Amino acid sequence: METQWSLVCDLNFCTALFKSETIKRYAAYFKRILSVVTNEPNVLLSDVEIILPEEKQRILQEFNATACEFEHEQTIHGLFADQVEKFPDRVAVVGEKPGDGSVDNDMIQLSYRALNRRAGWLAARLRSLGVGPGVVVGISMARSIETAEAILGVMRAGGAYLPVSPEYPEQRLNFVLDDSGVRIIVADPGHEFQRDDLTVVHTGQVGDEAGNDHEPANINQPRDLAYIIYTSGTTGRPKGVMLEHRGICSLSVFWHQPHGFAVTTPDRVLQFADISFDASVSEYFMALFQGAALVFVTPEVIGNYQLFQDYLQRHHITVVTLPPPFLSYLEPSAFKHVKTLVTAGSETTPDLVERFNAYTGYVNAYGPTETTTCATGWRVGENHVETIVPIGGPIENTRVYIVDKHFALQPAGISGEMCVGGIGLARGYLNRPDLTAEKFIDITQYNNSLHGPTGPGSPEWVYLTGDLARWKWDGNIEFLGRIDHQVKIRGFRIEPGEIESRLIHHPGIKAASVLDKAREDGEKFLCAYIVTENGDMPSTHSELKAFLEDTLPGYMIPS
């Protein structure tokens, strides 16, 4: 209504859909817009920031108050060496020879001292081959305690490791090796490669007594490259994400915090993720940075839910990270001796949280490979879960901004793209300066109300995740899905475009589309649709799968 001196607005809303507090905030945003445009009639709407000053202050100064001291001059292998000195005789890694998992098959374990010696021998061998800072060494091994030896050996030599799954199709293997420039690869005994340009170094060639004279001096700095992990690419070309030592060193602060994974020296951490998946990095070092034991589980056990549950209890596992689709097939009572259960890699559900939180401490974590495995975390505690399980707030030394398409900050309750910055930020993509420039930006160039950690005028580099999210008023974040076409299946981040690109290389297919679908139990799977050249199926379903398996890993083959 218009009065003599003002406009009076009356708002009607459905109380079943909106809280009164929400409508009051919306009214405040509307008043802010009116105030700006009446004072600046020529302003672009895209330049009008609806967030209120007090809300901006809370997001920047309270929700993102994550600065935390850590050993910023350390390297990954340097932090491991500290644990060797503190706990030389504690068990570092535990594994068993492959079997059906129904019994304990010749259990193997190494102390921190023994693992350090083996890694030292391997490091000396690699350094004699020219490995040093910036040199990338491939690791192609089945999940075993020797994998830990290989990772630490590469780092102690001064190099960076590149996981190459033994299950990779030959074409994908060759692309990754050529793109990364790897010329040295560490492999299981007996594993050879059909390439003349590779030097293969096998593990398992040294006993516990060796390595006394193999203590290569540390030649690394915190900003040196630590590892590269290849993820799916939209154009059919996988991309290598480059991570530095300091990201993992900073992340170690979060791992032992009560609000984090709460890992301590007596814990036994399960090594579940494949080495080519970045969750494995978290599993390895959350154990080896705390003097805890890292327990390797065989693929045979992972493939049988009952054996897996028995394994948790027989080996007294206290910390485990699992993708929600895998967890959904397990019984909550099997986790009664587990201290911390972490779900990551894909969305979890209120039902899963409620069921498992009754038996164990439940943490829901989130983090792209580009932000060093973990960027946010939410410990459930006694919190009530509604329709969306939060992914928590930014962890130590990490900053999160949720912005609109013009990079204006979004207030709590309003969705936007999640941008992640901080010490864990990757260098970018190997040999992809164009894609790096597109996804890693200085956000202060687009929003002058933001600034880097050293104050006004300093850059704030962030990774544009492509994830849609919104703040809650308690400082937690709700994940709402993807902005682009990227999907996650069983924790693996997949670009359907990469699969589509491969499908249309088939001579009988002229167009293809790949979507993620969900079964009744909520588990997602990939579904491919094809248009053929002549209207007839070019081959049988099994032959099409075989065609894709020549170039794509198993988790990218449509069901």
Side-chain angles (χ1 to χ4, degrees):
M1 297 179 295
E2 184 175 0
T3 68
Q4 183 178 1
W5 303 110
S6 65
L7 293 173
V8 178
C9 295
D10 184 44
L11 298 175
N12 294 302
F13 62 96
C14 176
T15 57
L17 298 178
F18 297 99
K19 296 178 180 178
S20 177
E21 295 80 7
T22 302
I23 297 300
K24 289 178 180 176
R25 289 203 311 275
Y26 287 176
Y29 300 150
F30 186 51
K31 286 172 66 178
R32 178 171 175 80
I33 293 171
L34 294 178
S35 175
V36 172
V37 299
T38 52
N39 284 288
E40 304 175 56
N42 296 319
V43 69
L44 294 174
L45 280 178
S46 60
D47 292 337
V48 179
E49 206 172 49
I50 69 168
I51 190 170
L52 304 176
E54 58 269 24
E55 291 179 330
K56 180 187 291 189
Q57 180 78 4
R58 189 175 185 187
I59 289 172
L60 297 180
Q61 305 300 325
E62 184 178 330
F63 295 173
N64 277 292
T66 62
C68 180
E69 286 296 321
F70 72 105
E71 297 186 72
H72 60 276
E73 296 300 324
Q74 269 287 19
T75 59
I76 293 173
H77 48 287
L79 289 179
F80 171 72
D82 289 347
Q83 300 306 309
V84 174
E85 185 175 340
K86 291 178 185 177
F87 311 110
D89 298 316
R90 287 192 68 87
V91 173
V93 287
V94 180
E96 60 180 85
K97 294 180 180 178
D100 62 10
S102 59
V103 295
D104 290 336
N105 301 301
D106 299 328
M107 296 303 297
I108 308 166
Q109 63 183 38
L110 294 176
S111 67
Y112 273 81
R113 179 189 286 116
L115 178 59
N116 187 54
R117 285 176 174 173
R118 287 179 177 235
W121 177 89
L122 179 60
R125 172 85 174 100
L126 292 173
R127 194 169 288 183
S128 72
L129 295 172
V131 175
V135 176
V136 182
V137 178
I139 297 179
S140 183
M141 303 175 67
R143 184 188 286 108
S144 67
I145 62 175
E146 284 78 16
T147 315
E149 171 191 337
I151 291 174
L152 289 166
V154 170
M155 290 184 172
R156 287 187 59 185
Y161 80 91
L162 167 65
V164 182
S165 174
E167 305 300 320
Y168 273 178
E170 185 176 357
Q171 188 172 334
R172 191 179 185 88
L173 168 69
N174 288 331
F175 171 84
V176 169
L177 294 179
D178 291 339
D179 188 60
S180 63
V182 163
R183 293 296 174 261
I184 301 171
I185 195 161
V186 182
D188 290 317
H191 188 179
E192 301 295 341
F193 297 84
Q194 304 302 314
R195 291 176 61 117
D196 296 332
D197 59 348
L198 275 183
T199 299
V200 182
V201 178
H202 292 122
T203 57
Q205 299 175 343
V206 57
D208 293 350
E209 73 285 351
N212 291 317
D213 299 324
H214 300 292
E215 292 293 334
N218 180 34
I219 56 175
N220 287 113
Q221 300 296 320
R223 295 302 302 263
D224 283 346
L225 192 64
Y227 63 96
I228 297 174
I229 286 184
Y230 274 79
T231 63
S232 181
T234 54
T235 62
R237 178 184 174 187
K239 52 190 185 292
V241 186
M242 301 182 289
L243 286 305
E244 299 173 346
H245 281 264
R246 65 179 192 148
I248 292 293
C249 294
S250 173
L251 184 57
S252 68
V253 179
F254 173 71
W255 284 327
H256 65 76
Q257 296 291 337
H259 66 272
F261 297 171
V263 182
T264 58
T265 301
D267 280 315
R268 293 171 68 85
V269 179
L270 189 73
Q271 206 289 290
F272 176 89
D274 184 272
I275 188 177
S276 61
F277 185 35
D278 70 332
S280 65
V281 181
S282 177
E283 291 170 340
Y284 274 88
F285 296 111
M286 77 166 75
L288 298 180
F289 282 0
Q290 310 300 332
L294 182 66
V295 183
F296 290 79
V297 59
T298 63
E300 292 82 5
V301 173
I302 292 175
N304 185 306
Y305 298 122
Q306 185 57 55
L307 292 180
F308 182 82
Q309 292 177 158
D310 294 342
Y311 195 92
L312 294 180
Q313 298 179 50
R314 283 192 288 116
H315 293 281
H316 310 290
I317 302 300
T318 59
V319 180
V320 58
T321 303
L322 297 173
F326 185 89
L327 184 66
S328 65
Y329 288 99
L330 304 179
E331 288 296 327
S333 59
F335 288 75
K336 59 186 176 183
H337 299 300
V338 173
K339 183 180 74 175
T340 303
L341 165 64
V342 183
T343 51
S346 60
E347 298 167 70
T348 190
T349 65
D351 176 64
L352 274 181
V353 172
E354 184 177 348
R355 287 168 52 210
F356 283 86
N357 192 48
Y359 290 88
T360 181
Y362 194 118
V363 178
N364 190 38
Y366 161 92
T369 304
E370 289 85 349
T371 62
T372 310
T373 81
C374 186
T376 70
W378 182 68
R379 180 168 279 274
V380 179
E382 297 180 354
N383 296 308
H384 175 65
V385 181
E386 297 179 351
T387 56
I388 300 176
V389 180
I391 58 174
I395 67 170
E396 281 74 2
N397 297 317
T398 301
R399 292 176 295 281
V400 172
Y401 307 107
I402 296 174
V403 300
D404 66 14
K405 63 182 180 180
H406 303 289
F407 298 101
L409 288 179
Q410 297 288 62
I414 308 299
S415 63
E417 181 174 10
M418 182 155 51
C419 308
V420 180
I423 290 172
L425 203 63
R427 283 186 185 179
Y429 299 111
L430 181 66
N431 301 326
R432 301 291 297 276
D434 53 339
L435 188 60
T436 298
E438 177 186 335
K439 293 294 186 180
F440 294 84
I441 66 165
D442 173 11
I443 199 170
T444 65
Q445 300 298 309
Y446 304 91
N447 186 329
N448 58 20
S449 67
L450 298 177
H451 57 74
T454 58
S458 65
E460 173 71 311
W461 290 95
V462 298
Y463 168 63
L464 306 180
T465 67
D467 289 331
L468 194 66
R470 66 186 174 206
W471 288 105
K472 297 181 67 179
W473 280 100
D474 59 4
N476 287 305
I477 296 167
E478 291 180 334
F479 173 83
L480 302 174
R482 290 292 299 175
I483 293 173
D484 55 22
H485 299 296
Q486 192 181 92
V487 300
K488 279 198 173 183
I489 305 292
R490 299 192 304 279
F492 289 98
R493 191 171 60 172
I494 297 169
E495 295 281 4
E498 182 174 358
I499 307 169
E500 294 165 356
S501 175
R502 179 56 186 159
L503 277 170
I504 61 177
H505 277 80
H506 190 287
I509 297 176
K510 66 178 180 181
S513 180
V514 176
L515 304 177
D516 63 323
K517 301 242 176 185
R519 298 186 174 91
E520 290 184 0
D521 59 8
E523 182 178 5
K524 289 186 176 181
F525 65 95
L526 290 172
C527 183
Y529 297 84
I530 60 172
V531 178
T532 61
E533 288 289 355
N534 55 13
D536 298 325
M537 279 297 289
S539 57
T540 65
H541 181 260
S542 59
E543 289 172 341
L544 273 180
K545 289 186 70 173
F547 172 76
L548 292 177
E549 286 168 352
D550 286 341
T551 54
L552 300 177
Y555 63 85
M556 293 181 68
I557 307 299
S559 299

